[in-house]
Amino acid sequence: MDVINPATGELEETYDTETAADVDDALDDATETFDRWQTRPLRERERLLAATGEELRANDRSYAENITREMGKPISQALDEIEKCAWVCDHYAEHASTYLNPDGHPSPPGAVAKTAYEPLGPQLAVMPWNFPFWQVFRFAAPALTAGNVVVLKHASNVPGCAQAIENVFRRAGYPENAFQTLLIESTLVDDVLEDERVRGVTLTGSGPAGRAVASTAGHQLKKSVLELGGSDPFIVLDDADVEAAAETGASARMLNSGQSCIAAKRFLVHTDVYDAFLEQFVDDVEALTVGDPTNPDTDVGPLASSTFLEELDTQVEASLEAGGRAVTGGEPLDREGAYYPPTVLVDVPAGCPVDSQETFGPVAAVFEVEDETDALEKANETEFGLGASIWTDDRDRGRRLAREIDAGCVYVNQLVKSDPRVPFGGIKDSGFGRELSEAGIKEFVNRKTVWVE
């Protein structure tokens, strides 16, 4: 696996991939470790997770630099990502016992009926490159604490991050094979998932990858959780705080250089505030600093690879040819590296790529809508259903409209985000299942009914 620095296009390092025999050994190790790990007291597992948070914070600069080198995230945002991973460790270290405490149920006199939450076994995690630490930790922290063990197949462009994460858990004191990284090609994923030693799978990634994994997991009758793509609507109503909406909207679209499933992608703005919002939004977008991701002042770095740059540029070109108009940006920057400027498109025709597809980069499509009914119709016409954001000064109005949005999460007067305290996940082509909070830690457990007479 070659690591190409997306800011320079230069080869940073090459990693040897592992073979089917290596996978077999790893699954044997995982199975043996699980037999011992599941019997460790929950309080002990919580203490190890707390130590993991401490390890992340103690070496945050090193881990963040790894992220920046491999996928181009601006260093300040990479540091934030490491801190968020430490936060999810803190959360489950504090609350796992409460989440996993057996639930009581009504029963006749002399009987006690409860649901106990027990681990399933080795879990396969297939993870993406865009948040190379966070995506892993938001699954691994609850899964390990529930008593499972984890085998990670990470994206091929972030092998250094994958190995670093394994080292985080080892340094925190976990058993050697409680968390393992497999540097394997995607062609081996089905073989791993079909192995009887693997008891479930979680995937964050593209729709095609999700369908493939879900198909294999379904055939094997194994638990699966999928977090797939998104084309999140960002609705600005006529009574919204336009300045706040524009400022937050710029961050919601351009964070991580726009490479986020839950980034605001389609801005649906009421006609009464459309001009004011567009002007402010473009000003905020153009104020962002594009540049070297190792510079702490950089807001937008390169895309993760030249391939992703070409794919995004193709989507934008097709949308412009269909009649869209670029207010700012609209073509790759003439510089070394996979840089695409923050871009705002208007007059976007129905059915063109930036209207109907997920754009994974710093490109915002702004639509003018007549009223809230028009906004809801436009918001829900997508195949995706991950997140949505609604901006209004009337909270009751926001709550009412939130119930009419087809999405796994809706934020009123806030950008869509994943937070350890609340469940996260999508519907429709954005996947199924939930991560984080109590729902996340209970995805990969046996909800065992125990009746004692």
Side-chain angles (χ1 to χ4, degrees):
M1 291 182 181
D2 291 336
V3 173
I4 306 296
N5 188 323
T8 64
E10 296 179 355
L11 176 66
E12 291 280 346
E13 196 166 353
T14 297
Y15 292 77
D16 292 332
T17 55
E18 293 171 294
T19 65
D22 296 323
V23 171
D24 188 60
D25 290 342
L27 295 183
D28 270 346
D29 291 338
T31 302
E32 293 175 7
T33 302
F34 172 67
D35 289 340
R36 300 187 301 272
W37 177 244
Q38 66 174 323
T39 65
R40 299 276 282 270
L42 178 54
R43 289 296 188 187
E44 185 177 334
R45 297 198 295 264
E46 288 176 325
R47 285 194 291 272
L48 284 171
L49 192 61
T52 304
E54 294 171 0
E55 164 61 26
L56 286 164
R57 291 189 174 100
N59 295 287
D60 59 350
R61 173 63 62 169
S62 173
Y63 297 134
E65 288 175 349
N66 211 335
I67 293 173
T68 298
R69 180 173 58 255
E70 291 194 329
M71 55 74 58
K73 189 189 299 287
I75 188 64
S76 60
Q77 296 174 30
L79 286 165
D80 289 343
E81 181 174 341
I82 299 302
E83 174 56 33
K84 193 169 184 178
C85 293
W87 179 25
V88 79
C89 292
D90 295 345
H91 179 81
Y92 282 108
E94 181 178 356
H95 298 291
S97 292
T98 300
Y99 290 154
L100 297 175
N101 191 45
D103 294 328
H105 306 289
S107 58
V112 175
K114 291 188 175 183
T115 297
Y117 301 98
E118 300 178 353
L120 296 175
Q123 305 296 321
L124 172 63
V126 183
M127 291 292 148
W129 49 264
N130 58 330
F131 288 87
F133 271 67
W134 169 245
Q135 306 279 18
V136 175
F137 272 90
R138 76 180 186 189
F139 165 71
L144 288 167
T145 309
N148 298 294
V149 297
V150 174
V151 177
L152 170 66
K153 190 286 178 208
H154 218 324
S156 60
N157 60 331
V158 289
C161 289
Q163 291 191 339
I165 293 169
E166 181 178 305
N167 289 332
V168 170
F169 286 110
R170 185 175 294 117
R171 290 172 181 169
Y174 280 78
E176 183 176 358
N177 297 309
F179 183 100
Q180 297 181 79
T181 286
L182 296 177
L183 296 184
I184 59 174
E185 299 296 339
S186 297
T187 53
L188 286 179
V189 169
D190 270 0
D191 292 339
V192 177
L193 185 50
E194 289 174 351
D195 194 291
E196 63 181 6
R197 289 167 291 185
V198 173
R199 301 311 310 150
V201 60
T202 182
L203 175 141
T204 298
S206 68
R211 285 182 172 86
V213 164
S215 176
T216 302
H219 184 71
Q220 299 295 322
L221 297 179
K222 293 179 180 180
K223 175 72 178 185
S224 62
V225 169
L226 304 179
E227 197 265 280
L228 308 177
S231 186
D232 287 10
F234 188 102
I235 299 172
V236 183
L237 297 173
D238 53 326
D239 61 347
D241 181 334
V242 171
E243 185 174 349
E247 181 180 1
T248 302
S251 297
R253 174 63 276 203
M254 303 301 167
L255 185 69
N256 199 30
S257 305
Q259 300 167 120
S260 172
C261 296
I262 56 171
K265 297 186 175 80
R266 297 176 299 131
F267 292 78
L268 316 179
V269 186
H270 193 287
T271 186
D272 290 353
V273 295
Y274 176 83
D275 290 338
F277 174 85
L278 181 61
E279 181 179 3
Q280 183 65 55
F281 182 60
V282 171
D283 286 347
D284 290 338
V285 165
E286 290 181 337
L288 297 173
T289 300
V290 180
D292 179 0
T294 65
N295 186 328
D297 294 328
T298 293
D299 300 306
V300 178
L303 298 188
S305 76
S306 58
T307 299
F308 300 142
L309 174 68
E310 292 167 3
E311 291 174 355
L312 182 67
D313 188 40
T314 297
Q315 290 176 304
V316 172
E317 282 189 352
S319 300
L320 294 175
E321 290 174 2
R325 179 168 60 89
V327 179
T328 187
E331 58 184 17
L333 293 175
D334 184 15
R335 59 180 296 173
E336 184 180 68
Y339 285 91
Y340 200 92
T343 294
V344 178
L345 301 183
V346 297
D347 301 332
V348 176
C352 74
V354 299
D355 173 61
S356 60
Q357 301 172 10
E358 179 178 29
T359 49
F360 221 62
V363 175
V366 183
F367 301 82
E368 185 173 359
V369 295
E370 295 182 1
D371 51 33
E372 65 180 46
T373 300
D374 191 18
L376 288 171
E377 182 178 349
K378 185 67 178 175
N380 289 333
E381 70 179 12
T382 175
E383 65 195 32
F384 298 106
L386 193 52
S389 182
I390 300 173
W391 289 76
T392 173
D393 274 349
D394 185 339
R395 291 184 175 182
D396 289 335
R397 186 187 191 190
R399 292 187 187 97
R400 173 175 57 81
L401 295 178
R403 296 180 65 86
E404 300 184 49
I405 297 286
D406 298 334
C409 54
V410 180
Y411 284 75
V412 178
N413 298 326
Q414 181 58 273
L415 56 81
V416 177
K417 54 189 175 181
S418 55
D419 183 309
R421 297 166 294 188
V422 295
F424 177 79
I427 60 171
K428 300 196 293 187
D429 284 8
S430 290
F432 51 76
R434 291 295 179 266
E435 296 181 295
L436 302 174
S437 190
E438 182 175 359
I441 200 170
K442 288 182 175 177
E443 284 284 8
F444 290 94
V445 296
N446 174 19
R447 305 180 185 216
K448 180 186 288 183
T449 296
V450 179
W451 181 295
V452 179
E453 189 102 11

